[in-house]
Amino acid sequence: MDSKKTVLVSGGAGYIGTHTTVALIEAGYDVVVIDNFSNSEASALDGVEKIVGRKVVFGEIDTCDIKALRGVFERHAFDTVIHFAAYKAVGESMDEPLKYYQNNLVSYMNVLEMMKEFKRPNVLFSSSATVYGNAEELPVTEESPRQPATSPYGNTKQIAEDILRDCCAAYEGFRGIALRYFNPIGAHPSALIGELPSGVPNNLVPFITQTAAGIRQSLSIFGNDYNTPDGTCLRDYIDINDLARAHVAAVDRMTDGRMQTRYEIFNVGTGRPVSVLELVTRFEKANGLKLPYRFAERRSGDVPAVWADTARANKELGWKAERDLDDTLRSAWEWEKHIRHIQ
Ligand code: WQD
């Protein structure tokens, strides 16, 4: 086995993990997926296997279990890990901070500990635009100051970035990249994989598609009195397949020895702000349907606007977002129809 070409993907059965696994395999990497299905389902990996046309190496492993994780490192020769495994519900993290600190940081430190022990050099970490908080200047660059986190979830992302930076500075041979995702949306064009939110979705696009499917009565647009062109919040919605390709570009960069410093950060967005209202209208037009919606109170903790300066990712990773927003919104609806058996 060519170890340089194998990537361990923790949380590989999740929304970003499945799409990234597909992109890595299509780019010629071998992938070892681990997941404990705490917020995903085994059927997600069936979707991946259908798309790539072969079996995916998989272990049902909780990354908080260091013994089980050590077994994965003993059995498989990989130089690179992409660490997705984490809880991600902002609101829940406010109610249960210890659950978030415990799971997200222990699993992450276990992975880093094993990377160090087994001398595996490359770590790719899933960070988030949430680290920028309510930014003073837009678009945000990687040099924009991080704001104090407003949730334990957001804090775990900031802490994890700092841990990676410190490990890269301290341990010989360690290299790290943090990708700061903006708002990932959409599904694979095959509609065989996509997002599977549990319960009532917090995020906008799953709520939209569930409303279109009749599962939710009406979409609430949180706030239309912001200081933005139409009064609703602005976000940078990045297609999940484009986001997956950014991981491949980052892994290429780490394994090809092109990193300029041992720890690097990249924004992964489109660079284009889209309002909530515009997204709803685009979804309706792209899919030829009408969505019941109403304006509601602002949601606490929401920032009025955030979008990415993508110059660094474009130049250094050689990556840019390509997929058309309407295609992305069509794929989101196709996926919802697929899982709900709607014709
Ligand atoms: C987008 C916009 C809402 C739902 C969060 C996390 C971030 C990342 C992605 C994930 C906002 C509005 C939403 C609804 C609405 N983490 N909205 N009605 O808040 O930008 O980012 O998810 O794992 O860390 O903070 O994304 O999709 O929740 O909201 O009007 O029913 O849609 O107010 O303006 P957000 P979102």
Side-chain angles (χ1 to χ4, degrees), residues 29-43:
Y29 286 94
D30 286 330
V31 177
V32 175
V33 169
I34 55 175
D35 204 300
N36 66 349
F37 300 129
S38 68
N39 191 24
S40 60
E41 289 175 16
S43 61

Side-chain angles (χ1 to χ4, degrees), residues 96-107:
E96 295 194 65
L98 281 178
K99 177 175 169 181
Y100 275 69
Y101 288 116
Q102 174 74 24
N103 183 67
N104 292 8
L105 294 178
V106 169
S107 63

Side-chain angles (χ1 to χ4, degrees), residues 31-77:
V31 177
V32 175
V33 169
I34 55 175
D35 204 300
N36 66 349
F37 300 129
S38 68
N39 191 24
S40 60
E41 289 175 16
S43 61
L45 294 173
D46 298 338
V48 171
E49 291 181 344
K50 271 194 197 135
I51 294 168
V52 299
R54 61 163 133 131
K55 284 262 159 222
V56 172
V57 179
F58 171 72
E60 189 169 342
I61 300 282
D62 182 347
T63 40
C64 287
D65 177 351
I66 198 158
K67 267 197 195 150
L69 193 60
R70 179 172 279 114
V72 175
F73 278 72
E74 282 164 355
R75 282 192 300 278
H76 301 283

Side-chain angles (χ1 to χ4, degrees), residues 13-306:
Y15 176 43
I16 306 179
T18 46
H19 290 81
T20 300
T21 297
V22 167
L24 285 166
I25 292 172
E26 286 178 346
Y29 286 94
D30 286 330
V31 177
V32 175
V33 169
I34 55 175
D35 204 300
N36 66 349
F37 300 129
S38 68
N39 191 24
S40 60
E41 289 175 16
S43 61
L45 294 173
D46 298 338
V48 171
E49 291 181 344
K50 271 194 197 135
I51 294 168
V52 299
R54 61 163 133 131
K55 284 262 159 222
V56 172
V57 179
F58 171 72
E60 189 169 342
I61 300 282
D62 182 347
T63 40
C64 287
D65 177 351
I66 198 158
K67 267 197 195 150
L69 193 60
R70 179 172 279 114
V72 175
F73 278 72
E74 282 164 355
R75 282 192 300 278
H76 301 283
F78 46 81
D79 277 351
T80 304
V81 61
I82 306 182
H83 183 64
F84 292 117
Y87 293 149
K88 61 168 187 174
V90 178
E92 187 191 39
S93 80
M94 312 251 215
D95 299 333
E96 295 194 65
L98 281 178
K99 177 175 169 181
Y100 275 69
Y101 288 116
Q102 174 74 24
N103 183 67
N104 292 8
L105 294 178
V106 169
S107 63
Y108 180 60
M109 286 195 291
N110 282 348
V111 167
L112 292 173
E113 191 66 45
M114 289 300 100
M115 295 299 278
K116 176 170 168 274
E117 185 178 316
F118 285 80
K119 298 197 167 29
R120 311 285 174 85
N122 307 316
V123 180
L124 182 45
F125 175 66
S126 301
S127 191
S128 168
T130 193
V131 302
Y132 296 117
N134 195 2
E136 269 169 32
E137 280 180 42
L138 292 165
V140 288
T141 73
E142 292 83 352
E143 306 305 326
S144 297
R146 294 187 323 188
Q147 305 287 345
T150 53
S151 72
Y153 162 79
N155 205 20
T156 63
K157 293 295 177 193
Q158 298 209 1
I159 294 168
E161 283 192 354
D162 294 344
I163 292 174
L164 187 55
R165 177 201 61 204
D166 294 345
C167 288
C168 292
Y171 303 131
E172 192 58 38
F174 237 76
R175 286 185 291 262
I177 290 183
L179 296 182
R180 289 179 177 161
Y181 313 145
F182 283 68
N183 289 59
I185 62 166
H188 193 266
S190 65
L192 290 167
I193 52 173
E195 194 170 5
L196 275 177
S198 57
V200 182
N202 295 309
N203 296 121
L204 180 60
V205 169
F207 206 101
I208 289 177
T209 56
Q210 289 197 8
T211 306
I215 299 162
R216 311 284 156 210
Q217 265 184 351
S218 162
L219 168 76
S220 295
I221 294 182
F222 300 136
N224 63 342
D225 56 351
Y226 285 101
N227 184 19
T228 58
D230 65 17
T232 67
C233 291
L234 297 172
R235 293 289 183 275
D236 185 333
Y237 296 96
I238 172 81
D239 181 275
I240 188 70
N241 304 283
D242 283 336
L243 180 71
R245 281 193 304 103
H247 293 78
V248 177
V251 173
D252 287 347
R253 182 174 172 83
M254 285 199 282
T255 52
D256 292 352
R258 278 184 288 130
M259 287 180 70
Q260 284 168 358
T261 52
R262 282 163 55 184
Y263 172 61
E264 295 180 338
I265 301 171
F266 295 99
N267 283 343
V268 185
T270 65
R272 170 197 61 199
V274 173
S275 79
V276 176
L277 195 55
E278 192 183 343
L279 197 83
V280 170
T281 312
R282 292 278 291 263
F283 179 87
E284 290 182 322
K285 280 208 185 115
N287 292 299
L289 44 81
K290 280 279 167 209
L291 210 63
Y293 68 83
R294 61 181 188 92
F295 293 113
E297 291 292 296
R298 292 181 178 195
R299 183 172 70 177
S300 101
D302 274 345
V303 298
V306 64

